[in-house]
Amino acid sequence: MPKKTYAVRYVAGQPVERIFPPLASGQLGQALPPGEPLPGSCILRVMVWNIFKQQRANWLSVLQGFGKDAQLVLLQEAQTTPELVRFATSHYLAADQVPALIFPQHQSGVMTLSAAHPVYCCPLREREPLLRLAKSALVTVYPIHNGQLLMVVNIHAVNFSLGIDVYSKQLDPIGEQIRNHSGPVIMAGDFNAWSRQRMLALYRFAERMGLGEVRFVDDQRRRAFGRPLDFVFYRDMNVCEASVLVTEASDHNPLLVEFEHTTRRVRTPAEPKIVGIGT
């Protein structure tokens, strides 16, 4: 019997809460409850990092040094150790995790730390066909100061699979969520796009969703077979700055991006801003 998919929410001073997927993704087309917007009237700072289950030294100092100034931190392979939960709940209003792997002491999966409470939360999981291990994704929505609702997709893509069927299958429900959302979108994480097939599937998905790719001038992203694994895609926002922090605190380097809110739609799914993939 398949395990139920849920998110675990950590909020300072409150009991841990389980959040199950909405009954229908069409809920996004309905009025969402009001909420306080993410702080910052114009600039949105986002950190994206596969934290490698906090297995290396100095991971906490990297989060403290760079994550504390971001309104959103998207972690992959985040293990709910007391140190990480303490950091998350002391620096952010909410920390939502989708458990992918359950270890004897702590669970591991994607975790989104946010400086505002989400008004929508949809956890997703996909099992790798070869190792039978799960990977998780999380879709959350936050009000922002220009009156729009920002959708944030945090994903750790399946890694070990033959072909791209399961890889594309994991993206399908995310695409349904994005299609039902009319505001700006950030989709980021560890996409495990280590093959040409996977890169093509990812770029085609981004193009269908009208998502542009954040480009890094000094591109120090972790690579496998010469291809980057971590990406940030976006819609209806402007990129102000984008950098990669080189560190030994994980087997991935954190991505730091500053976005500027817009008061109008920059592009639509019918008019994507996408740079084609090379060979």
Side-chain angles (χ1 to χ4, degrees):
M1 184 175 180
K3 294 181 179 178
K4 286 188 175 182
T5 299
Y6 58 87
V8 180
R9 178 164 297 167
Y10 299 89
V11 176
Q14 296 185 17
V16 175
E17 179 185 4
R18 281 193 181 189
I19 301 171
F20 292 92
L23 296 178
S25 61
Q27 179 182 336
L28 269 171
Q30 305 169 8
L32 293 176
E36 290 297 318
L38 287 166
S41 59
C42 185
I43 300 299
L44 177 68
R45 295 177 177 87
V46 180
M47 179 178 185
V48 182
W49 190 21
N50 183 321
I51 202 171
F52 196 46
K53 304 181 185 71
Q54 299 103 280
Q55 294 183 56
R56 294 189 180 177
N58 300 325
W59 65 266
L60 184 57
S61 63
V62 171
L63 270 184
Q64 290 172 334
F66 296 90
K68 64 179 178 60
D69 293 326
Q71 291 101 317
L72 292 165
V73 176
L74 280 60
L75 301 176
Q76 301 82 48
E77 293 192 27
Q79 198 166 186
T80 51
T81 59
E83 294 82 4
L84 179 57
V85 173
R86 190 179 306 118
F87 170 84
T89 54
S90 60
H91 290 85
Y92 291 89
L93 288 183
D96 294 289
Q97 187 209 36
V98 183
L101 302 175
I102 308 297
F103 294 105
Q105 285 186 304
H106 310 294
Q107 53 200 15
S108 173
V110 299
M111 177 184 281
T112 300
L113 284 53
S114 55
H117 292 286
V119 296
Y120 176 86
C121 180
C122 181
L124 300 165
R125 291 171 78 247
E126 187 63 51
R127 189 173 296 277
E128 294 184 340
L130 299 181
L131 299 182
R132 307 305 296 168
L133 299 175
K135 290 292 193 292
S136 59
L138 176 64
V139 180
T140 45
V141 174
Y142 308 89
I144 54 179
H145 275 285
N146 63 4
Q148 294 180 307
L149 292 172
L150 168 68
M151 172 175 282
V152 177
V153 181
N154 182 358
I155 181 173
H156 190 191
V158 294
N159 194 7
F160 302 103
S161 64
L162 300 174
I164 59 169
D165 289 348
V166 178
Y167 191 80
S168 299
K169 180 184 175 186
Q170 188 182 16
L171 293 174
D172 286 344
I174 293 173
E176 186 177 3
Q177 297 282 322
I178 295 175
R179 281 191 294 269
N180 283 320
H181 180 68
S182 61
V185 175
I186 296 172
M187 182 181 77
D190 177 358
F191 287 86
N192 276 317
W194 41 259
S195 72
R196 177 173 173 79
Q197 277 187 313
R198 283 170 172 248
M199 288 284 284
L200 284 171
L202 177 58
Y203 275 99
R204 286 167 181 159
F205 174 83
E207 183 174 8
R208 291 197 305 272
M209 297 301 112
L211 301 174
E213 180 188 358
V214 173
R215 297 289 180 170
F216 301 92
V217 176
D218 184 17
D219 193 348
Q220 299 292 323
R221 287 177 292 175
R222 166 72 187 276
R223 282 172 159 75
F225 304 107
R227 296 179 172 87
L229 301 178
D230 307 301
F231 292 83
V232 181
F233 296 94
Y234 66 100
R235 185 179 81 189
D236 297 346
M237 305 185 85
N238 295 322
V239 177
C240 300
E241 292 185 23
S243 59
V244 182
L245 173 66
V246 178
T247 177
E248 295 298 321
S250 170
D251 62 346
H252 288 245
N253 288 327
L255 313 181
L256 306 171
V257 184
E258 288 191 0
F259 291 98
E260 181 183 22
H261 303 319
T262 62
T263 56
R264 60 182 177 85
R265 291 187 64 84
V266 178
R267 69 190 69 87
T268 67
E271 302 170 330
K273 177 187 176 184
I274 279 288
V275 180
I277 182 173
T279 56

